[in-house]
Amino acid sequence: MSNVTTSPEAAAAAQTLFRVALGGVLAAHGTQKLFGWFGGGGVDGTSKGMHAMGFRPAKPSAVLAGVGEAGAGLALALGMATPAAGAAAATTMGVAASVHAPNGFFAQEGGLEYPAVLGLAAAAFTIGGSGPFSLDALTGHVLDRPWMRITALAMIPTAIAVQIYRREQALAADAAAPADGTAAAEG
């Protein structure tokens, strides 16, 4: 007698539902940053926020964050190039979580809870793949090979660390800048 309570078909359907939902949420947030959709600030508004948070140069950082969410989100929703898409989303959300970390864990306090969970979910798809109902499966997993999953997963912490380091350096430079406003603002 088997203890299995979920059929492979049900597990695949659940994996697909979660992947599409995660991708949709990420894509929506990315389009806020890139196009100002859904009440977002677009590239200009996001650039101002990125500058205030210490990301330099601000405009390319805003575009990179938007593409990291919208592009990776769309690719995840479609189940296309899942290792790269998952890694891009996990990296973007890992950096976002680092920005929110000083506010604690819970999202209602501005904490890291929400971006951390999105990033961990994206990393899970980097490891586990897109499942049978995906463009990866339809194309014979041309962009979803085991070595791609391992490589993409290994790159996530390094990419996050580089962005955190660059942000900390920019914030330190801001703190050391003269208080008379002679330092040039970057946009």
Side-chain angles (χ1 to χ4, degrees), residues 6-148:
T6 303
S7 70
E9 295 82 9
Q15 180 182 22
T16 301
L17 177 65
F18 185 53
R19 178 178 46 77
V20 170
L22 173 65
V25 167
L26 289 165
H29 280 276
T31 60
Q32 287 181 310
K33 290 173 177 64
L34 294 173
F35 310 118
W37 296 354
F38 310 113
V43 171
D44 290 337
T46 303
S47 294
K48 291 175 186 168
M50 296 298 263
H51 183 83
M53 288 184 277
F55 292 99
R56 309 289 192 282
K59 191 169 189 175
S61 295
V63 171
L64 188 61
V67 170
E69 291 178 2
L74 179 60
L76 280 171
L78 296 171
M80 179 177 70
T82 303
T91 297
T92 303
M93 292 295 98
V95 174
S98 76
V99 172
H100 291 273
N103 299 323
F105 178 75
F106 292 104
Q108 70 264 27
E109 301 295 327
L112 64 85
E113 173 185 23
Y114 184 66
V117 168
L118 291 178
L120 289 169
F125 284 103
T126 301
I127 297 167
S130 59
F133 306 118
S134 64
L135 288 180
D136 281 336
L138 190 65
T139 60
H141 296 278
V142 172
L143 298 174
D144 179 22
R145 303 278 189 215
W147 70 266
M148 294 174 184

Side-chain angles (χ1 to χ4, degrees), residues 150-168:
I150 293 166
T151 302
L153 187 65
M155 292 174 70
I156 295 168
T158 302
I160 292 170
V162 167
Q163 291 303 313
I164 291 171
Y165 175 78
R166 290 183 65 206
R167 176 176 177 258
E168 288 173 351

